[in-house]
Amino acid sequence: MKGTYILAIESSCDETAAAVVKNGREVLSNVISSQIALHTLYGGVVPEIASRKHIEKINPVVTEALANAQMTIEDIDAVAVTYGPGLVGCLLVGVGEAKAIAYAAKKPLIGVHHIEGHVSANYICHQELEPPFLCLVVSGGHTHIVIVEDYGTYRIIGRTHDDAAGEAFDKVARAIGLGYPGGPKLDKLAKEGNPEAIAFPRAHVEGCPYDFSFSGVKSAVLNYLNIAKMKSSAKGEAPAEGTEFCPEVFEDGITRADLAASFQAAVVDVLVARTVAAANEYGMERIAIAGGVACNSALRAKMREVGEAAGKKVYYPDPILCTDNAAMIGSAAYYEYMAGHTADWTLNAVPNLKLGER
Amino acid sequence: MKILAIDSSGQVASAALVTEQTVLAEYTVNFKMNHSQTLLPMIDELLRMTGTEGSELDALAVTNGPGSYTGLRIGSSTVKGLAMIWNKPVVAVPTVEVLAANYFGYDGLICPIMDARRGQVYTGVYRCDGDKLTAVCEQSCMLLSDMVEKLNSLGEKVIFLGDGVPVHKAFLTANVTVPFTLAPMHRMVQSAASLGFLAGRYYAEGRTVSAMELVPEYLRQSQAEREREERLDHRTNG
């Protein structure tokens, strides 16, 4: 029997991506053109530079995705695209391209929420996973505990009150001189450190048992660095003005790796504790992790350990599907398409699209 | 020959379907609306109204910059997608030349002015030599005062048009010493019919690119790139 083939496009941040996905679960091609090297020069993603790169890469990436799937546009049933949230200039390139392709090929158009895509990456990696389940969505812009009630139906039960977890990772990584992209570099360095070296705070949000706050732990790391810097400059060893202060070993014998590991442990502990508590409270037997931070090795290990100890089954996507990609968009789009949700030619980029909004 | 021409480089969203002889249809909207939402429905309307299939087209044309960065990319991504699927060549025409074509046949200098912010304008100078529109001064990003100086030294009558004209009217009136006219509102800004007219000529001359090759001409680096270069210059010189 012929399946449903979706060509999906993703350009919400700094990856230009296209994929062909069968029946929402089987990836026939998954092409990602990353701009990380380019943005490293600037210490983070520059929206205008990213948008310019997307317009250069979009046609080659789409062409390659079709070629790798050994398909032409005629074989495709629908065209899907991320329309938010993300950087508006970047989103518009994908949206403009996807609309034009769908229009010219006379195919249905499906607008996909970027975060629903991240959640759906789990459907690709775990064929047996079906709603309902609990999902921790963690990325540079999101930290949500969500009940996935059905395909495309989400109930948010926990959220961050300040920084997203990924944002805290990036800021701390920058402060300790790791640069961009901070998350993966911090994860790597933390493997060499002692997570119990410094007891950073595990913040609770009063009255909201499943909410998060990461500004406290971030400030604690920055304070630790400042105090160390002051001690060091009192001894006349201060670094030149304008350079990062990040010695390999601090005066108290704590290493930079210990600092990274201790910070990471503080963030991971609360993410895991709240998620497992929420799963217990709402009677969820399955826990999934989604988003860029779902790549974090400590988070994956701790969620598995604590979740399984509580009798839960724990899921997370393969690393390649945790970063921004279009395969996950093709998966989410399939269920949108099955539910009869298609977009018209006025589809626009919505940079602050909320989860569950249409 | 049939060309679908698309301009979203400025405030106006405009699409036209042209042949060598005729503007079959033109749809222009100059209203506070998002080009991302209006452009494709406009194209759909044009093609349906004229009963045209994408496969019948010989080429697609796009106003390729300078202009609003986002606007240029909306036009570019739309044309890239359409041209890729319909397998058609693309004609990419500089924005200032598209504007100058509004005054094709004029017997003086044509000077389009687009507001580029930060005290600068995108501008150029064109002249009609018989049946040809030629550039006296290619489009670039410059200070308006430098362009006015240039025009004054050329000593010929000139017509100004473009979205920069209303913004800089007082400056022009005070500083231009040659005889000049300001375009009336119906020929002041970009028109896809003007683009289509030029695109037909480009197409006949074989001046096309593939959908893959098409990239907007911004005429200016991004702010982050400019600032980075300034820092590096400062370091090497200081």
Side-chain angles (χ1 to χ4, degrees):
Chain A
M1 201 186 91
K2 188 190 176 300
T4 298
Y5 298 89
I6 292 180
L7 170 66
I9 295 174
E10 149 71 39
S11 69
S12 64
C13 190
D14 59 346
E15 331 269 6
T16 319
V20 177
V21 179
K22 181 182 179 184
N23 295 339
R25 297 272 181 169
E26 189 184 337
V27 179
L28 302 189
S29 65
N30 187 23
V31 180
I32 304 172
S33 171
S34 173
Q35 307 177 3
I36 285 178
L38 186 61
H39 296 290
T40 300
L41 293 174
Y42 301 92
V45 178
V46 182
E48 177 60 23
I49 294 176
S51 304
R52 289 184 180 197
K53 209 65 189 169
H54 283 309
I55 200 86
E56 287 174 27
K57 292 292 178 189
I58 190 88
N59 275 37
V61 164
V62 169
T63 304
E64 193 181 335
L66 285 170
N68 289 357
Q70 297 185 304
M71 286 192 156
T72 69
I73 192 71
E74 303 308 321
D75 305 317
I76 296 294
D77 294 286
V79 180
V81 65
T82 306
Y83 73 108
L87 301 167
V88 66
C90 296
L91 289 165
L92 280 169
V93 173
V95 169
E97 177 91 5
K99 282 165 68 174
I101 289 174
Y103 178 77
K106 297 185 162 72
K107 306 288 180 185
L109 175 71
I110 304 160
V112 176
H113 190 291
H114 180 75
I115 296 301
E116 295 192 23
H118 275 301
V119 173
S120 303
N122 283 291
Y123 299 141
I124 294 170
C125 297
H126 309 287
Q127 299 292 318
E128 75 284 11
L129 180 64
E130 288 186 348
F133 58 91
L134 191 81
C135 190
L136 171 68
V137 178
V138 263
S139 70
H142 291 79
T143 308
H144 285 333
I145 297 178
V146 176
I147 297 175
V148 183
E149 295 178 327
D150 198 350
Y151 294 110
T153 309
Y154 303 85
R155 181 147 58 107
I156 299 171
I157 57 170
R159 50 168 52 89
T160 178
H161 285 233
D162 38 58
D163 288 356
E167 197 180 352
F169 267 91
D170 285 341
K171 286 175 180 170
V172 166
R174 194 171 305 145
I176 63 174
L178 294 177
Y180 162 91
K185 289 183 174 173
L186 196 142
D187 186 5
K188 190 162 173 240
L189 179 64
K191 288 195 171 95
E192 300 157 21
N194 173 10
E196 290 165 9
I198 309 168
F200 285 123
R202 271 77 168 155
H204 290 266
V205 179
E206 207 56 52
C208 309
Y210 310 118
D211 284 3
F212 303 98
S213 168
F214 295 110
S215 65
V217 61
K218 180 192 68 187
S219 300
V221 174
L222 300 181
N223 282 342
Y224 180 88
L225 285 169
N226 273 332
I227 291 166
K229 186 176 179 176
M230 280 190 287
K231 280 184 190 161
S232 154
S233 61
K235 292 164 76 185
E237 295 164 358
E241 199 57 44
T243 58
E244 298 284 355
F245 176 77
C246 50
E248 283 302 322
V249 184
F250 293 91
E251 208 185 21
D252 49 11
I254 285 178
T255 67
R256 195 161 71 121
D258 292 339
L259 185 64
S262 299
F263 161 76
Q264 180 173 272
V267 174
V268 165
D269 277 358
V270 287
L271 288 173
V272 170
R274 306 277 146 85
T275 303
V276 174
N280 284 332
E281 172 67 24
Y282 287 89
M284 293 284 150
E285 296 309 312
R286 287 166 301 177
I287 294 172
I289 322 175
V293 183
C295 265
N296 182 274
S297 59
L299 175 61
R300 291 158 88 98
K302 188 90 178 180
M303 190 69 87
R304 170 135 291 168
E305 178 198 326
V306 176
E308 286 179 357
K312 311 295 179 191
K313 191 132 177 45
V314 175
Y315 301 88
Y316 38 77
D318 297 339
I320 185 68
L321 290 174
C322 287
T323 55
D324 288 352
N325 67 86
M328 67 185 196
I329 302 303
S331 174
Y334 172 77
Y335 295 103
E336 287 291 292
Y337 188 48
M338 290 296 115
H341 297 149
T342 58
D344 65 23
W345 307 129
T346 63
L347 181 71
N348 197 10
V350 184
N352 53 2
L353 187 65
K354 301 282 181 291
L355 188 63
E357 266 183 12
R358 290 285 179 280
Chain B
M1 181 206 69
K2 253 185 205 171
I3 292 179
L4 175 63
I6 294 165
D7 189 320
S8 56
S9 61
Q11 282 262 321
V12 178
S14 186
L17 186 65
V18 303
T19 67
E20 292 98 327
Q21 312 296 336
T22 318
V23 178
L24 295 174
E26 183 181 19
Y27 193 156
T28 300
V29 177
N30 190 355
F31 192 69
K32 285 276 172 202
M33 281 271 264
N34 198 317
H35 292 347
S36 166
Q37 288 178 287
T38 52
L39 201 56
L40 198 55
M42 284 166 56
I43 292 166
D44 181 39
E45 180 74 16
L46 278 188
L47 296 182
R48 280 193 293 119
M49 187 74 81
T50 57
T52 308
E53 287 288 330
S55 56
E56 294 170 40
L57 299 173
D58 292 282
L60 285 97
V62 65
T63 303
N64 204 38
S68 143
Y69 298 160
T70 297
L72 292 173
R73 283 190 291 266
I74 291 170
S76 194
S77 59
T78 303
V79 167
K80 277 171 156 302
L82 295 175
M84 173 167 65
I85 300 305
W86 287 333
N87 196 21
K88 303 294 176 187
V90 177
V91 180
V93 185
T95 312
V96 177
E97 193 177 336
V98 170
L99 279 166
N102 281 6
Y103 276 91
F104 190 86
Y106 182 71
D107 65 345
L109 297 176
I110 308 161
C111 181
I113 298 171
M114 302 164 66
D115 190 26
R117 311 248 168 88
R118 306 192 322 118
Q120 294 178 315
V121 292
Y122 301 121
T123 184
V125 182
Y126 288 80
R127 184 206 306 281
C128 245
D129 276 337
D131 192 37
K132 281 187 101 139
L133 189 66
T134 55
V136 176
C137 176
E138 295 280 357
Q139 70 173 23
S140 68
C141 184
M142 61 165 82
L143 293 172
L144 181 59
S145 54
D146 290 345
M147 175 49 85
V148 167
E149 203 175 302
K150 168 107 186 155
L151 289 168
N152 289 342
S153 73
L154 286 168
E156 291 177 57
K157 73 166 181 176
V158 59
I159 187 157
F160 293 107
L161 73 158
D163 67 8
V165 172
V167 182
H168 300 290
K169 192 173 166 183
F171 183 87
L172 293 171
T173 309
N175 294 287
V176 177
T177 56
V178 291
F180 72 92
T181 322
L182 305 182
M185 56 97 164
H186 69 290
R187 288 167 88 178
M188 184 64 99
V189 294
Q190 289 91 322
S191 133
S194 291
L195 167 64
F197 165 70
L198 289 177
R201 293 169 163 234
Y202 273 58
Y203 179 74
E205 292 164 12
R207 294 163 72 187
T208 61
V209 295
S210 68
M212 195 88 92
E213 292 162 336
L214 179 70
V215 176
E217 296 275 358
Y218 304 98
L219 287 195
R220 210 153 67 176
Q221 288 181 309
S222 67
Q223 194 180 338
E225 286 169 302
R226 268 199 316 271
E227 287 172 2
R228 180 167 183 272
E229 285 190 359
E230 280 163 19
R231 277 199 308 275
L232 293 177
D233 281 354
H234 185 72
R235 216 168 289 168
T236 36
N237 299 333

